[in-house]
Amino acid sequence: MAPAFLPLFYFLLFFFFFAFHLPLCFSGESSAMESVPDLQNTMYKVIDGDPCVRLLNLSGPIGCASQFKPNTQFHVCVFLDPGRDKVLAPIIGFENVDGMSESSAILVSFEDFPSLFNRISDDLSFASKVAGVLVKSRTDVQNNLKGFSPDQKFPQAQFAPYHNFSYEWNPIGSGIMWKYYNFPVFLLTESATATIEEFVIRNENKKRAYTSNVAEFDLVMQTTKSGTHDSKSCLKEATCLPLGGYSVWSSLPPINVSSSKQSKPIILAVASMDSASFFRDKSLGADSPISGLIALLAAVDALSHVHGLGDLSKQLVFAVFTGEAWGYLGSRRFLVELEINSDAVHGLTHSSIETVVELGSVGKGYNEGVKNFFAHKEGGSAATDMTMTALKRAQESLLSENIKVASASASNPGIPPSSLMTFSKENSAISGVVLEDFDSVFVNKFYHSHLDDLSNVNSSAVVAAASLVARTLYILASDSKDVEDSVLASINVNVSLVKQLMGCLLACDPGLSCELVNKYISPTSTCPSHYVGVIVDEPSSTPYPGYINDVPRFVWNFLADITSIPREHINSSGCQQGCIRDEVCIKAETDGKGVCILSTTRYVPAYSTRLKYESGVWNVLPSNSSDIMGIVDPIWTESNWNSIGMRVYTVQNAAYDRIVLFGGIALTILSYLGVAFSRALITKAMKRD
């Protein structure tokens, strides 16, 4: 070969070497690409899923977040846009983690999810190699599990009105949702699960290739970047917001707040509308506590059709609290508002509450045709005895429905985790009863888990609980032991309403797009989530609707409607000219006009009693000995973030990059030597001539 052709020879040699080793990333799809977005869609696959996010309290963080950790063993990309640090890692299956030599994203089935996180907690060396966790979804996963609860064995034990904190109400609880993980965790959708499984198989088949399939996580919390690692510091730096929202209360019939007459004793019926989960937006809480909420709404509806409620000896008031899963925010703030006599509770007084009847988890109180419930009582007052007597009387009136109510075991340390704990702890003179579907331990095996969904509850049990409570409340309000059977028989729960509410509040189909919800509000999403959320602006008794979550807005409108007194003259212009005193405007979201009705239905802010909003900033107040529950309040906040997302794609691995680098260097050196050698030969030949 002539020396002059050596550079060309080396160039062609290396060109063909790299051409044959370059992966054919776009084979079969290049003909469909006509634009840059088409190219991006071909290269990147966006993955749908629900993240575990970072929350903080006074002690530090819990939950999950990406944490930028430079590591030469896996792909990390850092973008210059603030808050957009992204982590890339190859994806491997859980069955291959023992051979994991580099930081990787682990794809795990939910059956193996607990054992993976146990290992992460116990083996720090292994944990340091976990770049992320992707959890598979499957519709029948509950059937293959004995149970799964990421909460503690005694949820929120520090708020109990007794000292046996070691008691296990939730024996299956693992407590993993209260720990902190410096890597992202996503619960995949079913379609995303199939996509990721395909990528894992490709990785297994490409062990000797120069490419790998990676997951790119975008889950960087502002509190991580700013170094604010607890609620007090992050609120000061405005990198987080307090957990909270708006509770709702209503009365039946409406309270005449302008009357000079002394108010009647109040029978307060309560339920919760928020739940918790390891995965923020998958907090359905079907049995715990939404079954109780649905039963309460159905009971109020049944009572609203009974005539003469205004003539009864006592006033019926209904309260639906939010934030109960995070330190009983709703019930604690409700009592504070009562104490200061704020506008949010105008018409109520602390001293007028005679007894509390709470609907807890009631969706699993069904066994072989029998609806079983347990009454957990707090306090040994005459009011508690009257409530137990009323429950028995209501049960007797429902004999044909096969409903049984029993007193909870005397060996229990006290009432189970419930809003009644707040009332009892703040004022021991207030007594009450919590109706549950369990006696000594939770029968809900998926407490505070995303698996506590519609399939985990029974509509017949919810209907039975609603019927029992509706009649019990009527008996208590009448203040008579001799309520006629015919009157009780007229109090009937609308079964189809219960099923409607379950479909609206516990499933994505129809979800919040159901006819009942759309009658009152325009929801921001279809799939319901009962996560409490954050309180955005200054708390108010008349908050801006855009700052209130979908479910509280629906509950407010629904209760206002069914507890209202019809007006003789309906204003065709709706609420546009304003409603008169003691009226509220409902359905304003659906038609832009709304309807003015006479109803005592109010929003009550729900946030920590240790927080105060001043000049646009949230400040943490020092603990006060008079606020017993405030002393142990963790003060929960949620970290801000710019975006949350994940995508997968194929990348060249580091070995191939090194081959390209050294090959390029070698090609450059050889080309230089070839040119120099050729020039020398040509010069020598010219001298000879």
Side-chain angles (χ1 to χ4, degrees), residues 545-594:
Y547 291 153
I548 310 172
N549 291 342
D550 289 339
V551 175
R553 293 199 328 277
F554 164 70
V555 170
W556 184 91
N557 277 269
F558 180 82
L559 284 177
D561 189 18
I562 63 175
T563 61
S564 65
I565 295 177
R567 292 181 61 185
E568 294 182 3
H569 304 287
I570 299 177
N571 190 344
S572 59
S573 64
C575 309
Q576 293 175 333
Q577 296 179 357
C579 301
I580 64 174
R581 184 185 176 95
D582 297 339
E583 289 187 338
V584 294
C585 180
I586 64 170
K587 304 180 182 178
E589 294 182 41
T590 56
D591 60 8
K593 296 191 301 183

Side-chain angles (χ1 to χ4, degrees), residues 149-156 170 172-178 276 325 447-448:
S149 173
D151 209 336
Q152 297 158 333
K153 296 183 185 298
F154 189 155
Q156 305 193 89
N170 183 33
I172 205 166
S174 63
I176 64 169
M177 67 181 284
W178 303 103
Y447 181 82
H448 280 179

Side-chain angles (χ1 to χ4, degrees), residues 112-124:
D112 294 322
F113 181 77
S115 59
L116 170 62
F117 272 75
N118 286 337
R119 183 171 178 182
I120 289 171
S121 298
D122 297 338
D123 188 344
L124 295 180

Side-chain angles (χ1 to χ4, degrees), residues 166-241:
S166 62
Y167 188 80
E168 297 185 0
W169 288 104
N170 183 33
I172 205 166
S174 63
I176 64 169
M177 67 181 284
W178 303 103
K179 298 179 181 180
Y180 179 61
Y181 307 97
N182 60 1
F183 51 81
V185 182
F186 277 80
L187 175 66
L188 304 173
T189 62
E190 288 190 60
S191 60
T193 297
T195 300
I196 296 294
E197 285 179 330
E198 181 182 345
F199 268 73
V200 170
I201 293 172
R202 288 183 194 173
N203 271 352
E204 289 299 309
N205 294 336
K206 290 183 178 181
K207 284 183 177 179
R208 296 184 180 180
Y210 293 111
T211 63
S212 62
N213 295 301
V214 300
E216 178 189 86
F217 299 99
D218 188 3
L219 186 64
V220 174
M221 301 288 153
Q222 287 186 14
T223 51
T224 307
K225 293 177 66 62
S226 66
T228 48
H229 298 300
D230 59 64
S231 290
K232 190 171 184 177
S233 61
C234 75
L235 287 172
K236 184 178 180 180
E237 297 296 327
T239 58
C240 65
L241 285 170

